[in-house]
């Protein structure tokens, strides 16, 4: 059983991990991590969505009713690990930046 540090990197991703850790999320279990990719409009969003799906990711495109902003959501089942989260965000950026998108955070639904 791997033990996880109680110290996390001092950045936004580290803070999210720290919060999840404090809330009792089991870092040894697979979690459904949802990554958000901001896109400028529907057309760009559809291009980003195709790029992500072609790469084997489970994603959907939605428009916020209030802000009218478009976001691609990607669900990735993974163990919560800082380096892997950074790597996934770099991968998502690589797939979405050519179409005007960029990663805009991530989260895990907890009970």
């Amino acid at each position: 059983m791997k033990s996880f540090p109680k110290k996390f990197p001092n950045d936004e991703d580290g803070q999210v991990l720290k919060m999840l850790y404090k809330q009792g999320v089991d870092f040894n279990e697979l979690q459904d991590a949802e990554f958000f990719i901001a896109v400028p409009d529907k057309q760009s969003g559809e291009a980003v969505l195709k790029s992500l799906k072609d790469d084997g990711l489970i994603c959907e495109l939605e428009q916020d009713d209030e802000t009218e902003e478009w976001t691609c959501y990607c669900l990735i089942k993974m163990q919560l690990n800082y380096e892997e989260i950074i790597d996934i965000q770099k991968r998502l950026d690589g797939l979405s930046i050519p179409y005007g998108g960029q990663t805009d955070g991530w989260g895990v639904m907890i009970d």
Side-chain angles (χ1 to χ4, degrees), residues 9 17 78 80-90:
L17 286 168
M78 61 181 291
L80 298 179
N81 162 310
Y82 180 81
E83 288 76 20
E84 192 170 344
I85 287 165
I86 297 301
D87 287 347
I88 288 170
Q89 290 181 102
K90 285 179 185 170

Side-chain angles (χ1 to χ4, degrees), residues 22-82:
K22 285 183 174 180
Q23 291 178 346
V25 171
D26 186 346
F27 281 45
N28 293 306
E29 295 281 319
L30 289 177
Q31 302 292 334
D32 288 327
E34 193 167 38
F35 291 82
F36 315 114
I37 300 160
V39 292
D41 53 45
K42 184 178 183 181
Q43 186 176 353
S44 301
E46 288 171 345
V48 168
L49 192 64
K50 181 179 181 339
S51 174
L52 297 168
K53 286 185 173 181
D54 286 352
D55 203 56
L57 295 162
I58 300 166
C59 305
E60 60 184 38
L61 176 65
E62 288 184 11
Q63 184 179 32
D64 185 292
D65 292 336
E66 290 178 22
T67 65
E68 297 188 2
E69 291 176 351
W70 288 91
T71 305
C72 282
Y73 297 91
C74 286
L75 191 65
I76 299 176
K77 195 173 247 339
M78 61 181 291
Q79 280 190 313
L80 298 179
N81 162 310
Y82 180 81

